[in-house]
Amino acid sequence: MATQKLISVLFLQLLLVLLASEFSNGQKLKVGFYHKTCPNIEAIVAKTTQQYISRAPTLAAPLLRMHFHDCFVRGCDGSVLLNSTSSNSAEKDAFPNQSLRGFHVIDAVKSAVEKKCPGVVSCADILALVARDAVRMLHGSFWEVPTGRRDGRVSVNSEALRGLPAPSANITQLKATFASKGLSVKDLVVLSGGHTIGTSHCGPFSSRLYNFTGKGDTDPKLDKNYLAQLKIKCKPGDTKTLVEMDPGSFKSFDEDYYTLVTKRRGLFQSDSALLDDPETRAYVIQQATSHGATFLKDFGASMVNMGNIGVLTGNSGEIRKQCAFVN
């Protein structure tokens, strides 16, 4: 009898521990998470972001890309913001992230938020809000950003190399990468539309121009006239020249990207790959022919989906005092 009672007590204690763990780590993000603890958070973020984007609109694209790169490695935990240390090479220094810009914007927003609400708002949430506001300031989507993320304490260079989809990825690889993050095929084709803003160095697509299969050839899926234009801008071995991803419209968040893809003028292989799958192809054509009838709405929805990847909540992680350093 005593043994049975002891077992019952131990089982109850275990159940309470599990429930407490579930509560602390399984909380969901929600719009207005800081309603009581930092009620003006969105206004502070928007004002500070506007100060930078108004002076340098080209910062919007790398800030959006920064949020994407953060979420695809360890989840949306601000790990891409951490600096390397003497004993650890961080995500920020991985090859795919070396072209990221705008870390100073995140630091400025964090500083402004800390003045009003010290120790309350995570860097991961700030990055999600800044990405949204940067898109909106280029006449793009507005979406409500669920918040409540906590900051991670780990950032590893090699994980960024493995976790981020490559610009040379084919449709099978892209679908597998997005599926591994819990994202749908629609999320894949919608989020690819983020390439409507921004620029790229020649390196990520140079093989399409000069050595596509290792025989000095070009990518047959690339429009010949566009190919000729790119060759004028990007000579063999050029790693410094910047090329607009959406020529003529790279500072405006619109549906022109899909029109370019239908004309075989997507800059990366991953752009062209969207025509190789029935579902992604249908969406590309739909947006191109309807002048982006649903693109802005769809983009907001997919950004919310992406923003939920692997989040830390409750007692997990921390609220960093400075975004580049763990506490």
Side-chain angles (χ1 to χ4, degrees):
M1 187 72 177
T3 302
Q4 187 175 8
K5 186 175 181 179
L6 178 61
I7 292 175
S8 297
V9 171
L10 290 173
F11 176 78
L12 180 59
Q13 289 176 337
L14 178 61
L15 183 61
L16 289 172
V17 169
L18 291 173
L19 286 173
S21 176
E22 179 69 19
F23 178 76
S24 65
N25 298 319
Q27 295 177 18
K28 293 183 178 180
L29 306 182
K30 66 177 183 179
V31 174
F33 178 84
Y34 299 107
H35 176 67
K36 293 182 179 179
T37 56
C38 193
N40 296 322
I41 171 66
E42 298 218 8
I44 297 169
V45 172
K47 180 181 178 181
T48 310
T49 304
Q50 174 68 35
Q51 291 172 354
Y52 285 89
I53 300 299
S54 62
R55 295 197 302 263
T58 55
L59 278 172
L63 287 168
L64 172 62
R65 184 165 163 250
M66 191 185 297
H67 181 37
F68 180 93
H69 282 216
D70 182 38
C71 291
F72 266 66
V73 183
R74 285 191 169 266
C76 310
D77 67 344
S79 55
V80 74
L81 304 173
L82 288 171
N83 286 346
S84 293
T85 66
S86 58
S87 60
N88 177 67
S89 180
E91 292 171 34
K92 186 185 287 189
D93 292 323
F95 180 75
N97 289 331
Q98 288 176 5
S99 60
L100 289 180
R101 295 185 299 122
F103 292 102
H104 65 293
V105 179
I106 304 300
D107 291 339
V109 173
K110 175 65 171 175
S111 178
V113 171
E114 284 292 306
K115 288 178 182 178
K116 296 291 184 179
C117 315
V120 172
V121 182
S122 69
C123 296
D125 275 344
I126 285 174
L127 179 52
L129 290 166
V130 168
R132 188 272 310 276
D133 289 343
V135 168
R136 180 173 57 84
M137 289 166 191
L138 293 192
H139 317 293
S141 313
F142 176 86
W143 61 93
E144 295 285 359
V145 177
T147 47
R149 299 169 187 82
R150 305 264 297 175
D151 296 322
R153 297 186 180 98
V154 178
S155 183
V156 182
N157 183 317
S158 60
E159 291 182 355
L161 290 172
R162 293 194 302 268
L164 293 169
S168 59
N170 60 40
I171 193 63
T172 301
Q173 293 167 330
L174 290 170
K175 288 169 69 174
T177 299
F178 274 69
S180 72
K181 307 300 178 185
L183 298 178
S184 68
V185 175
K186 182 176 181 180
D187 290 325
L188 159 61
V189 66
V190 170
L191 292 173
S192 295
H195 287 173
T196 186
I197 55 174
T199 58
S200 170
H201 291 97
C202 297
F205 59 88
S206 62
S207 65
R208 303 187 77 193
L209 312 182
Y210 297 109
N211 197 28
F212 188 61
T213 65
K215 299 178 181 179
D217 53 346
T218 59
D219 184 350
K221 292 183 178 180
L222 199 56
D223 174 74
K224 290 184 178 179
N225 292 329
Y226 186 44
L227 175 66
Q229 294 172 17
L230 290 175
K231 280 190 169 183
I232 292 172
K233 294 181 178 180
C234 297
K235 302 303 180 183
D238 184 349
T239 59
K240 295 183 179 180
T241 301
L242 288 171
V243 175
E244 298 172 8
M245 287 196 271
D246 186 351
S249 182
F250 78 109
K251 293 181 184 179
S252 179
F253 199 92
D254 54 36
E255 77 286 350
D256 282 357
Y257 165 81
Y258 295 106
T259 301
L260 291 174
V261 172
T262 61
K263 294 179 178 179
R264 298 191 298 127
R265 291 187 167 211
L267 190 60
F268 306 120
Q269 283 176 252
S270 59
D271 296 323
S272 297
L274 298 178
L275 297 177
D276 296 335
D277 175 84
E279 185 175 350
T280 55
R281 180 185 177 89
Y283 187 87
V284 168
I285 294 172
Q286 176 195 9
Q287 298 308 318
T289 55
S290 68
H291 302 290
T294 65
F295 171 53
L296 295 185
K297 180 181 178 181
D298 292 341
F299 191 81
S302 288
M303 285 295 289
V304 170
N305 292 341
M306 186 188 79
N308 275 295
I309 298 175
V311 294
L312 301 174
T313 59
N315 294 325
S316 299
E318 64 184 16
I319 303 297
R320 285 186 216 140
K321 296 177 182 178
Q322 297 181 15
C323 291
F325 308 94
V326 296
N327 291 343

